[in-house]
Amino acid sequence: MAGLSKLTEAIAKGNLPDAVEAVKTAIADNEAAQDIMNSMTAAMDDVGRRFEQGKAFVPELLMSGRAMKGALEHVKPLLAGSKTSMRGKVVIGTVKGDLHDIGKNLVSSMLEGSGFEIVDLGIDVSTDKFLLALQEHSPDILCMSALLTTTMTSMKDVVEAVKSAGLRDKVKILVGGAPVSQSFSDQIGADGYGENANSAATLAKMLVP
Ligand code: B1M
């Protein structure tokens, strides 16, 4: 447990080497993957809160993001679980204008661990790029992530474009990210909202059993 608070502290301070050391210790101590994840996201919430209060700035967000990503690499194998056969295909990306990818990467890892093949389009993905990827890969599910209230609106544009392209009945659409909610998902006509990586994977498995 002390190891987990060291992990939270290292990420909150944006200290990559300490974060990696702490996550390795936590794994060696057999801490549950979910507890490790919770301590890492608590650190990001902390730096986010300090940012809102004007006590931390973009460089701090970047450094904490870098520390979280570095630590996450070590947790990914735990999330991968024991996949047997491919359940289906997912195209995932962070929407246009949005550069946040830590949560999206976590969702990708959980989906991969649940047996989905992942096509990750990265960050700042335009409506056209989402559409081209649907045409090229014919996925079972399209997942979109947004962390900004100013960018979440482009999820609606993607849903509309998928409809106009005549692909809406061929793909399930899931949305998520801190400002997104179930009511927003309903409002834009998505098939579901994942509050976190776990619930996104559970929902995906329900939609593609
Ligand atoms: Co930014 N940022 N950021 N940021 N950043 C937030 C999001 C913010 C809430 C901070 C704050 O004010 N408290 C705020 C947004 C306010 C708002 O719009 N409501 C904010 C801002 C304002 C900004 C900038 C505008 C700052 C500036 O430049 N002045 C700028 C925007 C840049 C851009 O995108 N165009 C900016 C930049 C950045 C960095 C690049 C420096 C960095 C990102 C680094 C990176 O991702 N590689 C960064 C960071 C690190 C954060 C915070 C601190 C942490 C985000 C994070 O990684 N959380 C964040 C504050 C916060 O979230 N507490 C903040 C951990 C991650 C595991 O959680 O991403 O929520 P999350 O993902 C979760 C769920 O949301 C869900 O599952 C995940 C795992 O459980 N989920 C999905 C996510 N996507 C999903 C998709 C799904 C399903 C579930 O599909 C089905």
Side-chain angles (χ1 to χ4, degrees), residues 45 48 51-52 61 97 99-103 145 148-149 177-178 194 196-197:
D45 287 344
F51 178 77
E52 264 174 19
L61 295 187
L99 308 178
H100 296 85
D101 68 352
I102 296 171
S145 177
L148 300 172
T149 42
N196 53 44

Side-chain angles (χ1 to χ4, degrees), residues 158-179:
V158 177
V159 175
E160 292 303 324
V162 173
K163 273 189 205 160
S164 304
L167 297 171
R168 188 63 188 92
D169 58 343
K170 296 191 171 63
V171 67
K172 300 289 182 194
I173 302 181
L174 299 185
V175 292

Side-chain angles (χ1 to χ4, degrees), residues 34 37-38 40-53 57-66 68-69 72 90 92-108 110-111 123-124 141-152 155 173-180 192-201 203-204:
Q34 193 55 55
M37 291 310 312
N38 290 344
M40 300 206 296
T41 44
M44 299 309 278
D45 287 344
D46 177 55
V47 70
R49 239 182 337 263
R50 283 187 283 124
F51 178 77
E52 264 174 19
Q53 296 164 351
F57 302 93
V58 173
E60 277 91 351
L61 295 187
L62 269 173
M63 286 170 71
S64 290
R66 202 170 59 106
M68 167 111 187
K69 275 184 156 182
L72 192 57
V90 173
I92 188 166
T94 300
V95 298
K96 188 169 159 43
D98 201 319
L99 308 178
H100 296 85
D101 68 352
I102 296 171
K104 177 216 23 108
N105 294 345
L106 201 48
V107 172
S108 279
M110 289 296 288
L111 289 170
I123 53 175
D124 191 19
I141 303 177
L142 166 64
C143 285
M144 288 185 276
S145 177
L147 263 284
L148 300 172
T149 42
T150 47
T151 58
M152 63 193 271
M155 290 175 162
I173 302 181
L174 299 185
V175 292
V180 180
Y193 154 70
E195 188 185 359
N196 53 44
N198 258 331
S199 54
L203 196 54

